[in-house]
């Protein structure tokens, strides 16, 4: 076999291989493109805010003054709730938290267009009920949330400070300039 024939066979092999490659690329990008696009969109990351636990505070004798404890918190993901399911979910949450449905509906309306909001800390019984009946609670998730615990109560609050919502008396004492 002479050199020209070998070169022609090699060129034909490259043409066949590149034809196969381009055919497969066309199939992946054009023919099955929407399928792969949908699959890729399902695998995208969803950013979620988490609260970090704060460190312990101890006195010079090693007595614990402040620490964090993990508690379950119920989060409502509104983007996962179909509009026709919202009223049934409000009824379920009202029964679960022993609240009138008007108050639960007000929480939904107060959140407005926010994608997710907290229903608050749940008891182990409530958490167990929600996890067992997930089909009745669309868009509901239970997340761990650290809360600050002061074992000595307000005994050392003047030294270590205190984190929490202000009471109505605190707000009144701060005056009208508190914005």
């Amino acid at each position: 076999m002479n050199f020209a024939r070998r070169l022609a066979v090699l060129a034909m092999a490259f043409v066949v291989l590149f034809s196969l490659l381009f055919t497969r690329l066309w199939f992946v990008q054009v023919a099955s493109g929407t399928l792969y696009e949908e699959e890729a969109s399902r695998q995208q990351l969803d950013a979620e805010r988490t609260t970090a636990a704060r460190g312990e505070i101890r006195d010079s004798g090693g007595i614990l003054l402040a620490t964090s404890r993990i508690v379950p918190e119920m989060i409502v993901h509104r983007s996962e709730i179909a509009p026709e399911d919202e009223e049934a979910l409000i009824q379920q949450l009202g029964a679960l938290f022993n609240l009138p449905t008007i108050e639960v509906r007000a929480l939904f309306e107060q959140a407005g267009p926010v994608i997710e909001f907290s229903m608050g800390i749940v008891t182990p019984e409530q958490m167990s009920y929600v996890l067992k009946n997930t089909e009745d609670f669309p868009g509901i998730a239970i997340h761990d949330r650290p809360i600050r615990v002061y074992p000595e109560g307000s005994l050392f609050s003047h030294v270590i400070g205190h984190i929490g919502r202000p009471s109505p008396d605190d707000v009144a004492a701060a005056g009208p300039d508190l914005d």
Side-chain angles (χ1 to χ4, degrees):
M1 202 178 224
N2 65 8
F3 181 72
R5 254 184 105 132
R6 287 183 189 170
L7 191 59
V9 169
L10 185 62
M12 186 60 84
F14 274 112
V15 167
V16 169
L17 289 175
F18 276 110
S19 297
L20 289 173
L21 177 67
F22 285 120
T23 303
R24 180 67 181 152
L25 285 174
W26 175 86
F27 181 77
V28 168
Q29 291 182 351
V30 178
S32 301
T34 57
L35 172 72
Y36 289 120
E37 184 179 2
E38 290 171 4
E39 189 175 326
S41 67
R42 283 193 306 268
Q43 295 178 5
Q44 292 179 355
L45 294 177
D46 185 19
E48 188 174 299
R49 279 184 7 162
T50 58
T51 307
R54 299 177 67 208
E56 293 183 344
I57 300 175
R58 295 180 180 270
D59 71 356
S60 61
I63 297 173
L64 188 63
L65 303 177
T67 188
S68 291
R69 182 179 58 150
I70 303 297
V71 296
E73 177 184 32
M74 182 180 288
I75 304 292
V76 178
H77 296 277
R78 295 193 73 172
S79 61
E80 297 175 13
I81 303 170
E84 61 271 6
D85 294 338
E86 189 168 297
E87 188 59 35
L89 179 63
I90 289 172
Q91 298 284 337
Q92 287 281 4
L93 290 173
L96 182 68
F97 285 101
N98 200 19
L99 291 172
T101 55
I102 295 171
E103 288 183 28
V104 178
R105 191 173 294 110
L107 287 172
F108 272 70
E109 290 170 2
Q110 190 176 10
V114 173
I115 301 294
E116 66 180 43
F117 65 94
S118 172
M119 280 295 295
I121 296 171
V122 294
T123 65
E125 294 81 20
Q126 291 170 326
M127 181 176 69
S128 174
Y129 183 78
V130 169
L131 294 177
K132 285 180 185 175
N133 301 295
T134 55
E135 66 279 351
D136 294 335
F137 295 95
I140 299 294
I142 306 287
H143 295 286
D144 289 339
R145 177 178 147 203
I147 61 169
R148 199 65 165 161
V149 178
Y150 301 94
E152 300 294 326
S154 63
L155 184 62
F156 296 104
S157 63
H158 62 288
V159 176
I160 60 175
H162 183 76
I163 297 275
R165 296 193 183 275
S167 69
D169 295 335
D170 292 336
V171 174
D177 295 332
L178 185 64
D179 284 330

